[in-house]
Amino acid sequence: MTSTKIFRRSILGAALAAPAIVSAQSGLPDRTLRIVIGFAAGGGSDAMARLIATGLERRVGRRVTVENRPGGTGAAAGEALKYGGADGTMVAFMPSPSLVARLFTPSYPFDPMTDLAPITTAGTYIDAFAVSPKIEARTVAEYVAWLKGGEAGRNKIGATATDAMLQYYTRALGREFGVPMEGQAFRGTAPLVNDMEAGRVPAGVAGLTSFLVAHRGNRVRILATSGSKRVSVAPDLPTAAEAGYPGLTMEEWYGFFAAASMPSALVDLWNGALVATLQDKEVREQLAQLGLEVETSTPAVCADRLAAHMKKWQATLQALGMKPTL
């Protein structure tokens, strides 16, 4: 059994063993509730969503399922809400890159500013830069030295991103490392980790939440994180700034979203149930072990954060010579 499965089983088992907290007053639809994620099973988003779903199920007394709809940058979760979230039983658990990816291409399947109703922020997380265990590099400096070794294919970088979002990663890393990078998009972290473990892709970028379990299982080796400070769950991992690349400092966040057509009263009910679940001490601590620092909000605050995040990324793209589509 892989360490990933052992870790996920342990955190989910702990959640299932906790005392039931059932509230008949939740007001949520008396049917199966669904949390949609735009990534394959086995990654960080999947592990977090299933942990939250278990806590939510105990709290509201409804069956809660997690639906995996893998695709580039997690866009399928937003698309599911756009076309099928009107009955109030479905919400999406999405990282902010899945939202700002709309800035990269006009053909993106949903517009986060018009097709979604923000429910609550879930927490902040940071990206991680990791290499294949087939590479001897133990620091970013050693990786860059290896990268400049001249052998063809060393500049390949994998990410769970659309072609346009991947263009951002390759430009940013190429600027910092002084070597043009070649991007390869993956439909979820699980296949990216598989290729990195086998040495088919020498390096990759993903949320720390997605890489952390694989790092602990020696399937990838994280060299640096994008946060402004080290994280408590992995204090041995240096920040990009500490590694000598402050231009790679970046923090992201997860949120819960509903269809724009969901009545505001029902959005508020979802907010109450999700905030209570996320703030549960046991759930919060288990999410921290996956690299997510829980941070909840009202729907209005979540909407404001989304708008500010989109504006920040517009400026970031323009600084790299890329033209946002919004």
Side-chain angles (χ1 to χ4, degrees):
M1 181 180 294
T2 67
S3 59
T4 299
K5 291 181 179 178
I6 293 172
F7 184 74
R8 290 180 60 213
R9 178 176 292 179
S10 67
I11 62 172
L12 296 178
L16 287 168
I21 306 174
V22 176
S23 172
Q25 305 302 318
S26 71
L28 295 176
D30 191 15
R31 284 167 285 168
T32 297
L33 305 177
R34 296 176 289 164
I35 297 175
V36 182
I37 61 171
F39 303 96
S45 293
D46 179 69
M48 289 187 292
R50 293 182 187 280
L51 175 62
I52 296 167
T54 300
L56 180 64
E57 188 171 75
R58 298 198 321 269
R59 182 165 294 278
V60 303
R62 308 278 195 278
R63 182 168 180 249
V64 182
T65 64
V66 173
E67 292 186 11
N68 300 89
R69 301 195 183 193
T73 320
E79 187 177 21
L81 289 180
K82 179 179 179 179
Y83 294 109
D87 67 353
T89 64
M90 179 170 64
V91 297
F93 179 60
M94 303 175 68
S96 50
S98 294
L99 306 170
V100 300
R102 174 65 179 86
L103 298 174
F104 292 85
T105 173
S107 61
Y108 205 62
F110 73 95
D111 186 334
M113 302 302 294
T114 59
D115 295 326
L116 306 183
I119 299 175
T120 179
T121 57
T124 57
Y125 77 97
I126 53 180
D127 283 333
F129 177 78
V131 296
S132 166
K134 305 291 185 182
I135 297 175
E136 293 299 324
R138 300 282 171 174
T139 66
V140 179
E142 290 178 0
Y143 165 77
V144 173
W146 174 87
L147 180 65
K148 295 179 177 179
E151 186 175 320
R154 289 191 175 191
N155 66 335
K156 185 179 292 185
I157 183 82
T160 55
T162 61
D163 290 343
M165 187 75 175
L166 192 58
Q167 184 183 4
Y168 162 76
Y169 285 124
T170 56
R171 287 199 186 190
L173 292 170
R175 177 193 62 191
E176 292 295 310
F177 297 158
V179 177
M181 303 297 289
E182 177 187 344
Q184 181 175 344
F186 284 81
R187 294 173 65 86
T189 307
L192 171 58
V193 167
N194 289 340
D195 275 13
M196 290 178 64
E197 182 180 23
R200 291 187 290 270
V201 176
V205 176
L208 177 63
T209 53
S210 297
F211 267 160
L212 197 54
V213 174
H215 170 78
R216 289 168 174 162
N218 298 314
R219 301 183 64 201
V220 304
R221 184 183 305 120
I222 297 176
L223 301 185
T225 68
S226 68
S228 58
K229 61 182 179 180
R230 296 196 182 200
V231 293
S232 59
V233 294
D236 57 314
L237 298 178
T239 66
E242 289 175 325
Y245 298 92
L248 297 179
T249 299
M250 180 174 62
E251 294 182 342
E252 298 290 345
W253 53 282
Y254 273 88
F256 276 97
F257 299 87
S261 58
M262 184 180 288
S264 59
L266 189 51
V267 170
D268 289 339
L269 291 171
W270 270 105
N271 174 270
L274 286 167
V275 167
T277 299
L278 289 162
Q279 290 294 349
D280 177 85
K281 182 176 183 294
E282 186 175 7
V283 172
R284 190 171 65 249
E285 290 175 350
Q286 290 166 351
L287 287 173
Q289 289 301 312
L290 288 170
L292 186 74
E293 297 294 328
V294 168
E295 181 181 334
T296 58
S297 72
T298 64
V301 169
C302 185
D304 289 344
R305 185 167 187 175
L306 172 59
H309 202 70
M310 298 290 280
K311 289 182 179 179
K312 184 191 79 171
W313 266 88
Q314 285 177 324
T316 299
L317 297 183
Q318 290 168 346
L320 287 172
M322 300 173 67
K323 185 178 180 180
T325 59
L326 283 178

